[in-house]
Amino acid sequence: MAKRINLQGNQACALGAIAAGCTFYAGYPITPSSEVAEAMARELPKIGGTFIQMEDEIASMGAAIGASMGGLKVMTATSGPGFSLKQENLGYASGAEIPCVIINVMRGGPSTGMPTRPAQGDIMQARWGTHGDHAIIVLTPASVAECYSETVRAFELTERLRVPVVVLIDEVIGHLVETVDLDALKPSRLVTRKFADGPAEGFEPYAVTDDMVPPFPRPGDGYRSHTTGLTHLPSGFPTQNPSKAEAALVRTTDKLDLHADLIEAVEVAECDDADVVIASVGISARAGQAAVADLRSKGVKAGLFRPKTLWPFPEAALKAATKGAKAVVVPEMNQGQMVLEVERLLKNKSVHGLGKIDGEAITPAEIVTRVTEVLA
Amino acid sequence: MKDSVNEAEFQINDYIRLDQMPHFLCPGCGHGIALRALLWAVHELGIDKDKLAVVSGIGCSGRLSAYVDANSFHTTHGRPLAFATGLALARPDLHVIVITGDGDSLAIGGNHLIHACRRNLNMTCMMLNNEIYGMTGGQVSPTTTSNRYTTTTPAGNTEPVFDACALATAAGAGFVGREVTMQVTGLKNLLRDAIAHDGFSFVEVISDCTEIYGRKNDLGVSPEMMLSQKAGMRPEAYRNTVDVPFKPNALECGMLAKNDRPEYGATYRAMVDRIRGKGA
Ligand SMILES: Cc1ncc(C[n+]2csc(CCOP(=O)(O)OP(=O)(O)O)c2C)c(N)n1
Ligand code: SF4
Ligand SMILES: [Mg+2]
């Protein structure tokens, strides 16, 4: 029998994490993400896992990475100011290729901003928040069911590719309660990183393998390898040799290109004959969906393009979905972040932003009005 | 944890990565002596290198992890205790040792240090106090002696200093001690007891940055710095005879505090067992 329950987005992230095999959570409370921590504090001990509330977000990111270095599947969750604090150690996880999942429930910013109000102002920070060129994957669920399934996918990707994965949700999705069928959502298989199992003699923790994802040396398994945030050689030890340093850095970003098919995920609805495509994520995309229905009922051929993987941006899918469109409208709860990427990719199209930063979600009516203006 | 068991003679080459030599420390730097004492203690305890995890921050002190033939993690500035907390909770089978500097653990990482002391999770933190930011070229640190010159105190240091051991003791660390590098055997013994302690142990090593701090303050070369550090030690017999809670730069050495508060990892796992209906 289907197990249909009412569930909140944040709690769905926690349950998805547990279903994906997460056994370690470190966090620091912050609205509107705290329910993730509270659910993990409740659920993890039941499965023999570990929850710890650290002294701040820097420490919680560090502790999560530390536990992952020990071989566990790990997660942390935060919002706005806490996401800013996590950035340095997030960069460490990217550079040292330590799997980890970070839930960021976006609230109004900058600074303390509007703690209980929704926003989508971290779209660029999620991609470029830590310093330096780096690999990162960002997923954007738009429903409670997707909070669960995208968190599961976040674990699959971080474990498979050894890249930190951010699950970027907005306050509305995080606090939304919807009915979901947990049995139907349960992952059919668990993806766990490939642990090194060959001979320890001559083992190189960052060797260039065919899939560009080196096997992970678990402490205690005899490899005694070195992990550092310094740019490192395949041996794990630091280098400043220009060609070797570049090769090491490029591998971590090339890795994402190589596995683009695995990473990319989009929802494309009614774009085949669309004159206007609404490109959006999270709760704004839900409004976009309603706007498409409204516009279609008025005879306007509208479609929806919704990245579920926001970064790396689904370039080919966007181009395909907007092929026949005259205009693209990008509703987002910020002053225009995702629209920059859409403009960059669709240089010859008429691309229009629809920003909102007043702490209220964008309504379908606002999108319909914007589309009507654009098509006029 | 086994008490001193290993009777075999200590050979440092058994514990360092020879392929990483030569190391990058300046001649006369006290950090190398501290590392030797640490590995000697590890040897005497008979710890399996495969089960040893060395976690360090950023600084000259932080670079030491790369030289240890163990599972080594060179993390971010000030945060090694945070990483180590996750690692130690995740893997109670590992012996986790943190190597940090005075800037790493008292300035940028001060908050992590006090909470690590409070939690009392089983690990050892060796803080190399050279009173300076060695790695970045000699800026003032929270332990720089008053009036001393650094690149950011060109007219002498006007800030008061931290007593790291008093801080760790007050915050509840299970084991607290201090030693100078001149007393390498004493330092080894102290580190051995610290590692053997079931809980969070904190050892401050009075190290020297000969090359930058020593030179800038006319403190002489390394042996002279070490001798004056040793001379500045307060003999053990006088310990606790003067009731001054805050003793900047007081060089009381040896074990300074010990308590038997429950180790945090065991406490947490007992709670998990209780929830799962397994415990007593
Ligand atoms: C976030 C951050 N801030 C600053 C630095 C620069 N930095 C590197 S080492 C260091 C100070 C190290 O001093 P200490 O911890 O005393 O170690 P020592 O080099 O003296 O052993 C600083 C400020 C950094 N790496 N990261
Ligand atoms: S700069 Fe100072 S602390 Fe760093 S290696 Fe040289 S002597 Fe040691
Ligand atoms: Mg120092």
Side-chain angles (χ1 to χ4, degrees):
Chain A
M1 207 187 77
K3 194 171 157 197
R4 292 179 70 79
I5 57 164
N6 286 339
L7 193 65
Q8 183 207 49
N10 282 344
Q11 289 168 346
C13 289
L15 297 188
I18 304 265
C22 173
T23 55
F24 187 95
Y25 180 98
Y28 190 81
I30 184 164
T31 303
S33 75
S34 297
E35 295 86 358
V36 181
E38 288 161 357
M40 293 306 272
R42 225 171 21 242
E43 297 302 321
L44 275 172
K46 293 185 198 163
I47 59 159
T50 305
F51 169 92
I52 187 165
Q53 182 171 317
M54 293 296 287
E55 51 272 16
D56 60 33
E57 287 87 350
I58 300 173
S60 40
M61 191 72 235
I65 296 169
S68 183
M69 296 190 312
L72 303 190
K73 293 186 183 177
V74 306
M75 184 167 90
T76 184
T78 191
S79 298
F83 194 50
S84 296
L85 286 179
K86 286 188 193 290
Q87 292 299 337
E88 188 195 3
N89 283 343
L90 187 50
Y92 182 91
S94 180
E97 299 177 81
I98 312 294
C100 54
V101 171
I102 303 96
I103 310 278
N104 177 26
V105 188
M106 289 181 281
R107 66 189 223 180
S111 190
T112 309
M114 289 186 273
T116 62
R117 310 302 311 181
Q120 293 176 314
D122 305 348
I123 281 178
M124 282 299 174
Q125 190 194 14
R127 175 63 193 90
W128 295 112
T130 198
H131 55 282
D133 294 292
H134 61 277
I136 197 158
I137 295 173
V138 181
L139 311 183
T140 43
S143 66
V144 173
E146 270 189 12
C147 283
Y148 184 105
S149 59
E150 290 301 287
T151 303
V152 170
R153 199 161 69 89
F155 273 95
E156 291 172 356
L157 291 171
T158 199
E159 289 286 323
R160 174 68 187 86
L161 302 174
R162 295 184 59 181
V163 177
V165 179
V166 175
V167 179
L168 191 63
I169 60 184
D170 50 78
E171 185 276 339
V172 182
I173 296 293
H175 282 160
L176 189 66
V177 174
E178 291 182 300
T179 308
V180 296
D181 177 353
L182 280 186
D183 287 339
L185 288 170
K186 221 175 185 72
S188 53
R189 61 187 169 118
L190 287 188
V191 177
T192 302
R193 76 190 76 167
K194 184 175 178 343
F195 287 105
D197 58 4
E201 188 66 35
F203 173 77
E204 294 207 308
Y206 296 95
V208 184
T209 52
D210 286 346
D211 68 351
M212 294 202 200
V213 185
F216 189 94
R218 184 170 24 205
D221 288 357
Y223 296 100
R224 299 200 300 275
S225 56
H226 186 58
T227 305
T228 179
L230 288 167
T231 302
H232 42 269
L233 297 164
S235 66
F237 294 100
T239 184
Q240 295 192 42
N241 172 304
S243 61
K244 288 178 179 166
E246 186 175 28
L249 292 168
V250 164
R251 178 182 58 75
T252 65
T253 47
D254 277 359
K255 181 168 74 172
L256 296 196
D257 295 339
L258 183 69
H259 295 281
D261 290 349
L262 188 69
I263 300 167
E264 188 174 291
V266 295
E267 182 198 339
V268 180
E270 304 188 63
C271 285
D272 286 350
D273 64 341
D275 289 326
V276 58
V277 168
I278 296 162
S280 189
V281 295
I283 191 62
S284 303
R286 294 282 287 268
Q289 193 178 30
V292 167
D294 190 24
L295 287 162
R296 288 258 168 193
S297 75
K298 292 179 173 130
V300 180
K301 287 182 187 161
L304 179 75
F305 176 80
R306 178 172 74 85
K308 290 203 232 175
T309 300
L310 176 63
W311 301 112
F313 200 86
E315 178 174 343
L318 175 74
K319 286 182 174 157
T322 55
K323 206 161 184 177
K326 297 191 190 72
V328 178
V329 172
V330 185
E332 51 187 331
M333 284 186 279
N334 58 51
Q335 286 185 305
Q337 298 188 17
M338 188 172 125
V339 68
L340 297 174
E341 187 67 4
V342 175
E343 276 170 357
R344 189 181 75 79
L345 296 172
L346 303 178
K347 288 211 178 60
N348 303 318
K349 285 231 183 288
S350 112
V351 176
H352 307 266
L354 167 55
K356 192 171 180 184
I357 54 164
D358 63 357
E360 298 282 351
I362 295 174
T363 63
E366 286 168 324
I367 298 175
V368 170
T369 305
R370 184 76 177 126
V371 167
T372 313
E373 268 169 33
V374 162
L375 292 181
Chain B
M1 170 80 66
K2 292 176 274 187
D3 277 339
S4 179
V5 287
N6 197 348
E7 300 290 333
E9 198 189 332
F10 170 59
Q11 300 285 352
I12 191 161
N13 285 2
D14 293 341
Y15 293 89
I16 58 173
R17 291 172 169 144
L18 292 171
D19 58 357
Q20 293 305 304
M21 296 296 129
H23 60 73
F24 97 133
L25 300 173
C26 305
C29 178
H31 289 2
I33 303 174
L35 182 63
R36 180 186 175 84
L38 179 72
L39 298 178
W40 191 1
V42 163
H43 170 79
E44 287 201 351
L45 288 166
I47 292 172
D48 175 0
K49 289 188 288 186
D50 285 340
K51 293 283 187 186
L52 177 63
V54 179
V55 183
S56 65
I58 301 290
C60 296
S61 42
R63 294 297 283 263
L64 296 184
S65 61
Y67 302 130
V68 183
D69 182 17
N71 307 282
S72 59
F73 304 95
H74 179 226
T75 67
T76 52
H77 188 33
R79 322 299 175 192
L81 285 168
F83 283 76
T85 298
L87 182 62
L89 277 171
R91 296 291 304 275
D93 59 316
L94 299 175
H95 299 277
V96 178
I97 295 178
V98 172
I99 303 178
T100 176
D102 44 312
D104 201 58
S105 63
L106 294 176
I108 188 165
N111 199 26
H112 310 310
L113 175 62
I114 57 176
H115 288 279
C117 293
R118 172 181 67 83
R119 275 189 204 103
N120 204 33
L121 182 61
N122 192 23
M123 66 175 82
T124 297
C125 175
M126 177 173 85
M127 182 191 91
L128 304 182
N129 180 7
N130 55 8
E131 299 189 28
I132 195 83
Y133 284 14
M135 184 71 150
T136 40
Q139 298 80 14
V140 72
S141 104
T143 57
T144 305
T145 300
S146 296
N147 300 319
R148 288 260 171 93
Y149 298 103
T150 73
T151 58
T152 48
T153 56
N157 180 21
T158 45
E159 284 199 26
V161 307
F162 252 135
D163 179 338
C165 289
L167 179 77
T169 304
F175 181 108
V176 179
R178 178 193 284 125
E179 194 50 272
V180 294
T181 53
M182 183 90 193
Q183 307 277 44
V184 67
T185 310
L187 176 57
K188 175 263 292 177
N189 291 340
L190 182 67
L191 285 164
R192 191 189 57 204
D193 294 348
I195 297 168
H197 179 80
D198 189 26
F200 184 81
S201 51
F202 177 80
V203 173
E204 174 181 6
V205 182
I206 306 300
S207 186
D208 65 83
C209 171
T210 324
E211 195 54 37
I212 297 176
Y213 191 61
R215 192 190 289 272
K216 198 148 184 110
N217 289 286
D218 263 339
L219 301 174
V221 289
S222 171
E224 290 167 84
M225 286 181 80
M226 288 166 67
L227 280 167
S228 71
Q229 286 167 354
K230 189 178 172 220
M233 273 171 57
R234 193 192 292 241
E236 204 151 328
Y238 291 102
R239 188 179 307 156
N240 297 334
T241 52
V242 188
D243 185 23
V244 189
F246 186 75
K247 314 179 191 82
N249 285 358
L251 286 183
E252 281 178 319
C253 291
M255 190 187 75
L256 304 176
K258 188 170 160 77
N259 68 52
D260 290 320
R261 288 200 302 127
E263 191 274 321
Y264 182 65
T267 306
Y268 189 85
R269 287 187 292 278
M271 180 269 284
V272 168
D273 284 347
R274 183 162 46 76
I275 286 175
R276 306 183 83 198
K278 283 189 185 166

